[in-house]
Amino acid sequence: MIARGRWLFGAVLTGACVVGPSAVPVAAQGAPADPAALREGVRAWRAAHQAEIVRELAGLVAIPNVATDSANIRRNAQALLAMLARRGVTARLLENPGAPPVVYGELASPGARRTIVIYAHYDGQPVDRSTWTGAPWTPVLRDGPRPLGRDLPLPAAGGTVGAEARLYGRSASDDKAPIVAVLAALDALRALHVPLSVNLKLFFEGEEEQGSPHVRALLERYADTLRADAWIFADGPAHQTGRPQVVFGVRGVQGLELTVYGAARTLHSGHYGNWAPNPAARLVELLGTMRDGEGFILIEGFYGDVFAPTPAEAAAIAAMPPVDSALRTELGLARTEASGAPLMGRIMLPALNIRGLESGRVGSAAANAIPTEARASIDFRLVPDQVPARLRALVEDHIRRQGWLIVREDPDAATRRAHDRIVKVVWDEGYPGVRTALDLPLSRAVVRTVEQALGEPPVVVPSSGGSLPMYHFGEVLRVPLVIVPIVNYDNNQHASNENLRIGNLWSGIDIFAGLLARLGTEWPAAVP
């Protein structure tokens, strides 16, 4: 791994303007809000409006939102349009054939010279109702991070909600809480007579949890509408210490399904064991040639496009608060891979995760039999400069070198008789990672503004370990991308009993109010 390669999307910024209602000005027209006064004013406003904020979020969470459920997705979109209209935001749906709509809003601020787009998504992961304590779309307020904790009533008007209370429900955190935080921030600024320092556009997607298969076509279709100076993604969790963070990249992802074949029918393990090849054993053997016990990928050439962190990234990593020891205790781990290498260092590298294995039966359903096939589901996490198509080729070359015949469909009888080792390889589309440079004027301005909003510095993170299809936004719109996540790290996103710690909602309102009121001041545009 040598010197860091190019920044994928460059640093050329474009100007833009929008049309819509303006915010109420402060006493001195156009004067920037004082950071300390703004921080205290926003906190006082939201303390007086806790019940309304939580109830609005609960109402949004109550609408089922799996992307394939088109009727309820439309209900979500219409609810969001109404929520935007109540704030005086000019809003409409951006439609693309066959896709859930994007809820789009515009709010201009006279005199603002920068335009930002805030991204969030309103769809959520599918649910297994049997694993939930309660119903996934019946939001419940509880007194802490315990699904069986004490239920609390939703607060009446003027009531309060403690910071440690949690709202349970699908998408309470991923990703409806950030939407409500942004809208509450607009309410706070209007009540405080603080103008926006930027022209604001809102982009609420409806199929992010399905991999955003239509988002690129939509970005291309509405590129002029979406023109801006930067995008801020309001998705993902806060740091494991509980501190807010600003994140400047995501890893890409590439999914792979492998199927290995044995005999044409299930065989008695006593009569045929150690004679008929066992597909489960063979699959495990193949996987062992791809990844070692320390998490390093053994596929030749896989690290060829992986570069060392930039000096700014290395400095940010060194400054991050240590979490490994506490996480090992919390997660019940005696050790971690890569001989205890720090978590952030591993996130800056690609990864091969075996996300599922299937063959035969286990436990009380186990039978003394040789299964007919074995399957593995894999996700590769990619770092910037790694191209999914190149990595797919590297993986398939590796499999062939192990003596396997690759097929795309289940093999017929003639193929099975002619070849000893057959594996069906099925890829999903995949997408690359992205990373915005930490030393851009925008990057510095976002960190400063979040620090002003909180009264303490956020954790600066070069890259998230997770994946978002952000590269589409950078390639199509050619602007820098920054992630400002607000929800609790232990929120059970994508799992049962998803929840939002209410204190994270409160700090999220502070953060977005600060960004809207101060970012244009901290990141001034050049005078034409």
Side-chain angles (χ1 to χ4, degrees), residues 121-464:
H121 64 88
Y122 63 88
D123 67 313
Q125 282 279 317
V127 299
D128 178 354
R129 293 173 182 265
S130 67
T131 64
W132 281 72
T133 303
W137 290 290
T138 301
V140 177
L141 196 64
R142 296 193 173 104
D143 64 354
R146 302 174 301 280
L148 296 177
R150 183 169 62 95
D151 287 5
L152 303 172
L154 289 176
T160 61
V161 184
E164 297 306 319
R166 300 204 180 198
L167 185 70
Y168 282 78
R170 173 56 85 224
S171 296
S173 60
D174 185 21
D175 194 30
K176 289 182 174 179
I179 294 175
V180 171
V182 171
L183 300 187
L186 288 174
D187 293 339
L189 295 180
R190 180 175 286 109
L192 296 169
H193 303 283
V194 174
L196 305 190
S197 65
V198 292
N199 296 312
L200 175 64
K201 299 182 179 183
L202 299 169
F203 185 99
F204 300 150
E205 188 188 355
E207 59 173 355
E208 190 274 342
E209 298 293 7
Q210 299 292 317
S212 302
H214 299 92
V215 74
R216 189 180 188 96
L218 188 140
L219 295 175
E220 292 170 344
R221 184 175 187 176
Y222 294 100
D224 288 341
T225 299
L226 299 172
R227 188 175 297 115
D229 295 299
W231 282 60
I232 293 178
F233 285 73
D235 193 6
H239 192 255
Q240 289 92 340
T241 59
R243 289 172 54 187
Q245 60 184 2
V246 179
V247 183
F248 290 91
V250 292
R251 293 197 285 189
V253 67
Q254 175 67 74
L256 169 62
E257 300 288 325
L258 297 176
T259 305
V260 169
Y261 301 89
R265 68 175 187 271
T266 303
L267 299 174
H268 188 290
S269 62
H271 297 321
Y272 297 100
N274 297 336
W275 180 81
N278 185 306
R282 284 189 158 184
L283 178 58
V284 170
E285 177 188 351
L286 174 59
L287 295 175
T289 70
M290 300 170 70
R291 180 191 194 276
D292 71 12
E294 297 298 322
F296 290 102
I297 298 170
L298 304 175
I299 297 165
E300 184 177 344
F302 201 92
Y303 293 99
D305 293 324
V306 179
F307 298 92
T310 66
E313 291 169 346
I317 293 170
M320 291 178 67
V323 296
D324 292 65
S325 179
L327 280 175
R328 282 195 299 271
T329 300
E330 177 184 337
L331 300 175
L333 297 174
R335 65 179 297 275
T336 55
E337 294 180 337
S339 301
L343 174 61
M344 192 63 227
R346 300 298 290 162
I347 284 174
M348 298 294 284
L349 294 171
L352 188 167
N353 174 55
I354 300 172
R355 59 191 178 190
L357 292 168
E358 183 180 278
S359 187
R361 299 177 182 274
V362 299
S364 61
N368 295 331
I370 303 171
T372 59
E373 63 181 45
R375 300 178 59 189
S377 185
I378 293 171
D379 66 84
F380 293 93
R381 299 290 171 158
L382 314 179
V383 297
D385 297 317
Q386 287 189 299
V387 179
R390 168 174 158 74
L391 297 184
R392 290 194 292 267
L394 290 173
V395 171
E396 293 194 5
D397 286 347
H398 174 86
I399 292 173
R400 291 188 182 97
R401 285 197 300 272
Q402 311 310 308
W404 292 85
L405 172 71
I406 292 177
V407 297
R408 309 299 175 184
E409 305 288 343
D410 289 334
D412 58 23
T415 303
R416 293 172 73 141
R417 286 194 298 268
H419 298 275
D420 175 35
R421 292 173 178 260
I422 303 172
V423 57
K424 182 170 69 173
V425 173
V426 179
W427 299 96
D428 66 18
E429 184 176 354
Y431 53 81
V434 299
R435 204 176 296 159
T436 295
L438 272 65
D439 50 6
L440 292 180
L442 165 71
S443 304
R444 296 192 181 109
V446 170
V447 172
R448 282 197 305 270
T449 306
V450 172
E451 180 173 355
Q452 292 170 359
L454 297 171
E456 61 178 353
V459 179
V460 176
V461 182
S463 180
S464 167

Side-chain angles (χ1 to χ4, degrees), residues 74-100:
R74 291 279 168 177
R75 286 181 60 204
N76 278 271
Q78 291 300 321
L80 288 169
L81 286 176
M83 292 164 68
L84 293 174
R86 289 198 294 271
R87 274 84 180 182
V89 177
T90 302
R92 62 190 173 105
L93 300 182
L94 304 184
E95 301 276 7
N96 205 41

